[in-house]
Amino acid sequence: MKFISILFFCLFVCDKLNAQVYPLTGLVLDNEGAGLKGALVSISGYENTLHTDKEGKFFVDGLQIGNHQVMVSLEGYYAQKLLVNIQNRQTSIKVVMKTSDQQLKEVVVEHSLIAARRQEESMNIEVVGIEFIQRNLGGSLMKTLERLPGIKTIGIGSGQSKPLIRGLGFNRVVVVDKGVKHEGQQWGADHGLEIDQFAASEVELVKGAASFIYGSDAIGGVINVKPANAPQKNTLGGSIDLIGKSNNNLYGTSVNLFGRKEHWFFDTRATYQNYGDYSVPTDTVFVYDYAVRLHNRQLRNTAGRETGLHLTTGYAKENFRSVFYFSNIYNKSGFFANAHGLEPRRVNTEMHDASARDIQMPNQQVNHFKVVNRSDYRVGIHQLEMQLGYQRNFRQEFSQYVNHGYMPPVYPDGLSASPELEREFDKRVYSINLKDMISLGNHQFTAGFNSEYQDNVIDGWTFLVPSFKQATAGIFLYDKYKIAERVLLHGALRYDHGQIKMFKYTDWFNSELTVDGTTTSEQLIRANDLKRSFNSLVWSLGLNYNHEQFLLKANVGKSFRMPIAKELGANGVNYHYFSYEKGDPTLSPEQSYQLDLSLGWNEDRWSVLISPFYNYFPNYIYLNPTANHDFYYGAGNQIFQYAQSEVIRYGGELQLKYKIWKSLNAEFLGEYLFARQISGDKKGYTLPFSPPASALFNLTWSPESVLRHSYLSVDYRLTARQNNIVPPEKKTSGYGLINLQAGAKLNISGQQLALSFQVQNLLNTRYLNHTSFYRLIELPEQGRNMVLSLKIPFNISLKQTEK
């Protein structure tokens, strides 16, 4: 209640100071002096974009005194950029647009806003749009983003992967979808993210600690997936995406339809993908010491199906917008049959090899339903935002019942779980985010509140993680202060409280237990009831300095992460890793201190950006391999125990771009990471999944021809050896890969068709990826893969009824 009172007091004070901001009116005309309807207007210092009305007019209320950059663009016209000085009165401008059959206004505005955002944020930010996604389509959105420096993935094939940001992943990276934290079973390396990359309009990546905005789990970074903007007024249109891949014979489509009258709009999408077993450049792999022959060089049982249904509907005016997002993602995919469970020899290869497209056991089925409401309201110097979310992540893993340890040889009748249901997780998540952005003189304050409640229930004939309920809440205050024309200071403070309650789990079968020479038979307790509460205060300080070609960004801050249910209460076999994992209920929250720096220089023909960082964890949570082995639930599996240790991490990224000729560009992207534990049982070792140093060299030719926006691009990625490992990891040899991309836009009947073609791993190189889910069993990555995609947009203007 005290926080709400303070917030309302701030609103009252700021309203009294509203006289410090003034309106701007504008008129956008063509060469003949006629008003242009639907022109897009973006203004620095004003987050929303505007569209001109049918007379070409626009109006903005609430601009601070000083210079503002105004950009106006409309398809078929050259974009216009001008500097407007707002004084202590209403200001009016007139913009005359010149016709062009080549300029695309959305691209110009997007990249200008992206550049401005990079200059105004002290954190290390990368932003990519639809064109980047289409050029680099991978098996998942996270795989697509892997081309960016500092971004890697943990993959289990063509359809499932999760992100690593500077070597941190799982619950150390927050994925935001439509303004709400995406919550699934992200603690597992085999659990992908249920995100439809065709539904992503823009993706913003924050490399480094961002807990002061997003709370727990943002200790390593944030991937913010943004939906498409509301359609322009009086439009009806959409697109059809077609995609095919050669390696796993994937075919798929994504169909989009949107429409808007004056204020009401809708946007729908349906996606379907179907793929078979993927191929690797080898005939034999070794699951530890057992040789597994591959039929047609394909990993048996790695086929999959994926569907995505999306509906967006809402109401939008200049100062108010409320949008509902509905989505349902379903995925069914197989696990590599010879690398799941404790008996890699007991695989019916004849059954699996009969078809490369069927999905046998073991497999996983995941359904993620999500509904989000986002409402924005601008009044005076305030911009109020609210996001309400509900998610249900229902995940099942199926495998034939095989008894291990003291489990009965025949699955008994009468148990609630099916003998084929190995594990089940049913998570429901409720979220609320409130935020008020206040422009007050040279200050831009943001006050916010976040809260989330999770309820996760388990089922199945095996046990790894107990059922739990978790509630978190946090408040924060962030100030962006403009102390000079080229200098911005940032400061943030956040307080969080979290509570997790885990529930007792008892085996459904008896085990023999010997104590003081006496042997008894009883059902063992695998997890006890546990209730833990956590509190944390985090902060962040940043600086931006922009002077002509020079860019300087610095940020220092503290972040935290609550231990998750697996780290606190795991007690079972991880059949994917042939290991026995045990949690520690006494773990304390992770604390992280990080320093980020970015130095950049831009010239007409070249630019360079270097982004070093330093990171210190006093109590990093780590799955520590011990010298003990389990004999109750498997064949003597090594026991891995969650523990904490001091860790230092440092590294950085380097980006260099050079324009050789007008249509030929070169690019270099490099990254390096060093991590070391400086205390604990593994003192002197690195951390799991630490990616090796790598460099990407690119040449892109964009000729001016009858094919608009045509390009031919060559990537050569050189990855170093990774000798800095922690057991049971193995050293990984370096490798080089060549990828090709080509594409163009074709104008057919007034519609622009976007065609793109890729050849991934052009030379069919056999290599091991150190961050791969299957690295421990020496499984090479995908062989050559040709990707062809076609985007067919259509747009129909609706005549507005004149009154």
Side-chain angles (χ1 to χ4, degrees), residues 482-779:
K482 187 175 185 180
I483 62 175
E485 183 64 29
R486 299 184 178 93
V487 183
L488 287 170
L489 290 180
H490 306 258
L493 194 64
R494 179 185 178 99
Y495 175 77
D496 279 271
H497 174 78
Q499 185 179 90
I500 185 169
K501 184 178 182 181
M502 300 189 302
F503 299 98
K504 181 178 180 180
Y505 180 88
T506 304
D507 278 339
W508 53 269
F509 56 90
N510 288 336
S511 298
E512 290 184 2
L513 184 64
T514 302
V515 179
D516 297 330
T518 302
T519 300
T520 59
S521 181
E522 60 183 79
Q523 293 180 343
L524 299 183
I525 297 175
R526 306 283 288 280
N528 285 298
D529 289 334
L530 179 68
K531 185 177 180 180
R532 294 283 308 275
S533 295
F534 306 96
N535 301 280
S536 184
L537 184 69
V538 299
W539 51 268
S540 179
L541 295 172
L543 168 72
N544 286 78
Y545 177 70
N546 301 285
H547 180 70
E548 297 178 350
Q549 296 100 334
F550 180 66
L551 164 70
L552 168 65
K553 297 168 63 171
N555 192 83
V556 60
K558 175 190 176 185
S559 290
F560 89 107
R561 183 181 71 86
M562 285 176 50
I564 61 176
K566 184 185 180 188
E567 294 164 338
L568 294 169
N571 191 3
V573 178
N574 187 334
Y575 291 111
H576 304 292
Y577 279 130
F578 304 92
S579 62
Y580 193 95
E581 299 180 5
K582 296 189 67 174
D584 181 353
T586 66
L587 293 174
S588 59
E590 272 184 353
Q591 307 290 328
S592 171
Y593 300 87
Q594 182 156 323
L595 173 65
D596 280 277
L597 186 68
S598 290
L599 297 168
W601 189 274
N602 288 278
E603 293 284 355
D604 290 338
R605 296 187 61 181
W606 64 273
S607 66
V608 62
L609 178 67
I610 182 171
S611 305
F613 71 92
Y614 180 85
N615 190 198
Y616 168 68
F617 285 87
N619 57 350
Y620 186 91
I621 298 175
Y622 163 63
L623 188 58
N624 178 37
T626 71
N628 301 319
H629 294 79
D630 166 73
F631 294 96
Y632 279 97
Y633 304 100
N637 295 284
Q638 184 178 9
I639 294 178
F640 288 66
Q641 174 77 53
Y642 278 100
Q644 294 187 285
S645 64
E646 282 186 273
V647 169
I648 58 169
R649 304 169 65 254
Y650 57 83
E653 297 86 41
L654 173 64
Q655 303 180 52
L656 177 64
K657 299 179 180 180
Y658 183 72
K659 179 176 286 189
I660 302 173
W661 296 311
K662 182 178 180 181
S663 58
L664 183 63
N665 294 277
E667 184 177 25
F668 172 85
L669 305 175
E671 57 188 297
Y672 172 76
L673 169 69
F674 177 85
R676 173 168 291 176
Q677 300 184 57
I678 56 177
S679 72
D681 291 344
K682 295 299 180 290
K683 181 179 179 180
Y685 285 97
T686 187
L687 295 174
F689 295 110
S690 292
S694 69
L696 186 145
F697 304 87
N698 170 266
L699 279 177
T700 299
W701 180 46
S702 304
E704 295 182 358
S705 64
V706 293
L707 297 177
R708 300 173 61 180
H709 302 281
S710 58
Y711 63 91
L712 175 62
S713 184
V714 181
D715 283 347
Y716 176 64
R717 180 177 291 280
L718 185 63
T719 301
R721 292 178 56 87
Q722 181 55 289
N723 294 326
N724 191 19
I725 61 172
V726 58
E729 288 184 335
K730 302 177 181 179
K731 295 181 179 180
T732 304
S733 299
Y735 56 89
L737 293 178
I738 298 177
N739 298 326
L740 300 180
Q741 302 96 25
K745 291 186 177 179
L746 313 174
N747 198 331
I748 300 178
S749 300
Q751 304 292 346
Q752 279 197 345
L753 279 65
L755 178 67
S756 65
F757 177 70
Q758 297 180 68
V759 184
Q760 301 166 347
N761 193 0
L762 176 68
L763 303 181
N764 202 33
T765 302
R766 186 189 188 280
Y767 70 100
L768 299 174
N769 182 357
H770 190 73
T771 64
S772 170
F773 177 79
Y774 289 129
R775 169 64 188 92
L776 289 180
I777 61 170
E778 308 283 343
L779 185 64

Side-chain angles (χ1 to χ4, degrees), residues 149-168:
I151 309 298
K152 290 289 181 284
T153 63
I154 300 173
I156 63 170
S158 56
Q160 302 289 323
S161 60
K162 57 172 46 325
L164 292 173
I165 298 181
R166 291 173 168 172
L168 297 180

